[in-house]
């Protein structure tokens, strides 16, 4: 997957390398009546740009293929046309799109740590769900990959790569948020203490004894 990402960045750099290439590519897109007429810049400083860049590259994949061929960039053309390249690129577009969506949710205005907590937990749950579906050969959770494989099946090699990638991604989230499950129970009470399941099921004294470690002064 890193190889595919690196090739995508090299292609982008070639197309955007000079004014002439950019103009030629724009003319090609106009002739093909493409929705877009330019690729997006990639920058290592803003990782969100990877998702946007990959998305635009995938949308213009036919135009890029013709452009690389016309400019006789044989090395990039061959890699771009290699078996499984477009399917892997489609998955990368989908997973970066999902990561970008999570990142943007965490940056919204007027939200608190509880909302952040829900967003992260939901995404981690999605990773588990996606992994289970991929194990069954079901790619419906990944829009672009599903379209790319409309007339074929998920290749066993790519299947293993996606499973490994989703597992590693989940491990990274667990490493960054090690107490994500521990806080869930305590914060459930903070959200709405009188909707808490314990409050419904326990008598008043037992309830506050249980939450002594959370709210020692109130419980006392």
């Amino acid at each position: 997957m890193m190889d595919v990402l690196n090739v995508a960045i090299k292609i982008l750099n070639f197309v955007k390398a000079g004014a002439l290439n950019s103009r030629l590519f724009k003319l090609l897109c106009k002739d093909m009546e493409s929705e877009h007429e330019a690729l997006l810049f990639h920058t290592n400083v803003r990782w969100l740009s990877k998702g946007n860049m990959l998305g635009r590259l995938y949308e213009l994949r036919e135009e890029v293929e013709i452009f690389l061929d016309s400019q006789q960039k044989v090395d990039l053309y061959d890699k771009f046309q290699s078996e499984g390249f477009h399917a892997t690129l489609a998955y990368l577009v989908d997973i970066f799109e999902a990561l970008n969506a999570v990142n943007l949710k965490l940056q919204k205005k007027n939200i608190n740590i509880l909302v952040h907590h829900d967003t992260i937990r939901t995404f981690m749950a999605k990773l588990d769900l996606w992994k289970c579906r991929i194990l069954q050969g079901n790619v419906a959770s990944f829009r672009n990959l599903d379209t790319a494989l409309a007339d074929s099946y998920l290749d066993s090699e790519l299947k293993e790569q996606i499973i490994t990638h989703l597992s590693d991604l989940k491990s990274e989230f667990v490493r960054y948020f090690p107490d994500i499950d521990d806080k869930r129970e305590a914060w459930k009470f903070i959200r709405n203490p009188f909707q808490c399941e314990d409050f419904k099921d326990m008598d008043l004294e037992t309830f506050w004894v249980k939450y002594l470690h959370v709210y020692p002064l109130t419980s006392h």
Side-chain angles (χ1 to χ4, degrees), residues 146-153:
D146 191 30
T147 303
L149 299 176
D151 300 320
S152 59
Y153 296 99

Side-chain angles (χ1 to χ4, degrees), residues 52-94:
N52 298 331
M53 176 271 292
L54 288 172
R56 181 64 61 84
L57 179 63
Y58 188 73
E59 287 179 34
L60 294 173
R61 58 192 180 280
E62 293 181 14
E63 292 84 348
V64 168
E65 179 186 328
I66 294 171
F67 184 75
L68 292 175
D69 187 32
S70 68
Q71 297 300 303
Q72 298 182 341
K73 286 295 290 184
V74 179
D75 55 336
L76 292 178
Y77 178 81
D78 289 345
K79 289 177 181 177
F80 196 68
Q81 284 295 97
S82 62
E83 185 178 357
F85 184 93
H86 284 193
T88 304
L89 181 61
Y91 168 74
L92 288 174
V93 171
D94 289 328

Side-chain angles (χ1 to χ4, degrees), residues 37-56:
E37 296 181 354
L39 296 177
L40 301 180
F41 277 109
H42 165 259
T43 169
N44 282 323
V45 178
R46 295 183 66 248
W47 71 269
L48 278 169
S49 70
K50 276 192 176 66
N52 298 331
M53 176 271 292
L54 288 172
R56 181 64 61 84

Side-chain angles (χ1 to χ4, degrees), residues 87 136-139 145 148-156 158-159:
Q136 299 168 359
N138 182 350
V139 297
L145 180 59
L149 299 176
D151 300 320
S152 59
Y153 296 99
L154 181 62
D155 176 77
S156 59
L158 179 57
K159 180 179 179 180

Side-chain angles (χ1 to χ4, degrees), residues 134-188:
I134 291 294
L135 281 166
Q136 299 168 359
N138 182 350
V139 297
S141 301
F142 302 101
R143 177 175 56 88
N144 291 294
L145 180 59
D146 191 30
T147 303
L149 299 176
D151 300 320
S152 59
Y153 296 99
L154 181 62
D155 176 77
S156 59
E157 184 178 352
L158 179 57
K159 180 179 179 180
E160 288 301 317
Q161 288 180 8
I162 293 175
I163 290 170
T164 300
H165 183 250
L166 293 174
S167 298
D168 290 347
L169 196 54
K170 174 69 180 293
S171 297
E172 281 298 290
F173 269 82
V174 171
R175 185 172 70 84
Y176 270 89
F177 309 103
D179 57 352
I180 196 98
D181 287 320
D182 297 337
K183 289 183 177 179
R184 185 184 184 191
E185 200 62 31
W187 288 359
K188 183 171 69 174

